[in-house]
Amino acid sequence: RNLSYTYPAGGGAAIEGVNLAIPRGTTLGILGRTGSGKTTLIRMLPRLLDPAPGTLLIGGREVHEIDLSFLRASIGMVPQDSFLFSDTIRENIAFGVPSATDALIRKMAEISTISRDLAAFPQGLETLVGERGVTLSGGQKQRIALSRALAIDPEILILDESLSAVDTETEEHILSALKSERGGRTNIIVSHRVSTLASADHIIVIDEGRVVEAGGYEELLSRGGLFAEIHALQQLEQHVGRDRRT
């Protein structure tokens, strides 16, 4: 409700006057250029940044009235730069669920598609990562972090550019599996890639801290606004990239 945020260092509002309702069990897509305020907005949900009183409600409750540990346990957030522990792949996936069964871990690995890579690792799920183990690609890190977030089955799952390092085919597989697995749960997908948001129930476009467009995927494409402009530029970039490869 009229959600705004200005960083203590100043420089103007990073988010200003955002009014938005996300029905439980739906998927919201958030698109915007770098520096538009996307990450600032979603970081207020678990109160990594503190919103002004009365401007953010979850489940009908003012966010400051919700126990902070309970709030954060209900939200799974996967950032673009995913942090992994110097431990096995298994322990990284099961971090938030100490009692996780082998079946659960493998299911989450299938959804994130990191299961495709396990055969190439020295000891599969028992492979150490980090300083003492294998060095992973950015996409592999993101997919293990996604598996970890999915394992806790959060009420709200936030993907903040967390599929940016995977190819489009893998991304499509992950998003399709997420839609099937996360029925009845709320998902928020932040992306600079228009194609990532094709399956979202509702999309907002943020520019300079404000919501400038909102609607469905096809609806926004047909309007010819910023969403359509970014889509056209990305289509052109893909076309030019294919021409260079050939």
Side-chain angles (χ1 to χ4, degrees):
R1 296 176 179 175
N2 200 32
L3 179 64
S4 300
Y5 188 83
T6 300
Y7 285 93
I15 285 291
E16 187 172 3
V18 172
N19 290 284
L20 173 68
I22 309 172
R24 182 181 181 181
T26 62
T27 295
L28 172 73
I30 302 178
L31 181 78
R33 299 185 177 101
T34 300
S36 61
K38 307 185 299 297
T39 296
T40 300
L41 177 62
I42 56 99
R43 284 175 64 87
M44 283 191 276
L45 290 173
R47 289 182 59 193
L48 297 175
L49 298 174
D50 226 14
T55 61
L56 179 61
L57 295 87
I58 298 180
R61 296 178 62 191
E62 210 279 339
V63 73
H64 295 92
E65 297 175 0
I66 303 172
D67 177 78
L68 187 59
S69 60
F70 177 79
L71 172 68
R72 290 179 177 173
S74 303
I75 298 173
M77 181 179 286
V78 187
Q80 181 175 5
D81 297 319
S82 303
F83 175 80
L84 297 183
F85 301 98
S86 292
D87 208 329
T88 64
I89 294 173
R90 176 189 296 278
E91 290 303 315
N92 269 283
I93 294 175
F95 175 75
V97 190
S99 60
T101 63
D102 186 70
L104 175 64
I105 291 170
R106 291 188 178 280
K107 182 179 180 182
M108 298 306 105
E110 285 286 339
I111 293 171
S112 74
T113 74
I114 193 61
S115 56
R116 300 176 179 179
D117 301 57
L118 292 179
F121 295 143
Q123 295 174 288
L125 283 169
E126 308 308 324
T127 301
L128 289 169
V129 301
E131 294 178 5
R132 295 173 296 154
V134 300
T135 301
L136 303 175
S137 68
Q140 289 169 333
K141 288 180 181 178
Q142 287 184 340
R143 287 178 287 151
I144 292 173
L146 175 59
S147 299
R148 181 170 62 201
L150 289 170
I152 66 173
D153 192 24
E155 191 65 39
I156 301 171
L157 176 68
I158 302 172
L159 306 184
D160 185 12
E161 297 282 9
S162 52
L163 300 177
S164 59
V166 303
D167 60 77
T168 53
E169 181 183 348
T170 301
E171 179 184 75
E172 287 173 8
H173 179 94
I174 292 171
L175 293 173
S176 176
L178 276 177
K179 191 169 186 177
S180 175
E181 176 68 17
R182 295 274 304 163
R185 294 285 194 264
T186 305
N187 307 298
I188 300 174
I189 302 175
V190 178
S191 180
H192 68 282
R193 281 199 304 225
V194 172
S195 59
T196 304
L197 308 179
S199 61
D201 298 302
H202 188 71
I203 299 169
I204 61 170
V205 182
I206 297 180
D207 192 42
E208 296 183 350
R210 291 181 173 276
V211 175
V212 295
E213 287 186 284
Y217 184 82
E218 296 296 336
E219 176 188 357
L220 290 173
L221 281 180
S222 66
R223 284 187 194 168
L226 181 58
F227 185 87
E229 178 186 329
I230 294 173
H231 177 263
L233 286 172
Q234 291 177 359
Q235 291 289 98
L236 179 60
E237 288 170 0
Q238 289 178 10
H239 181 74
V240 170
R242 284 195 296 268
D243 286 349
R244 285 176 178 169
R245 288 192 295 271
T246 55

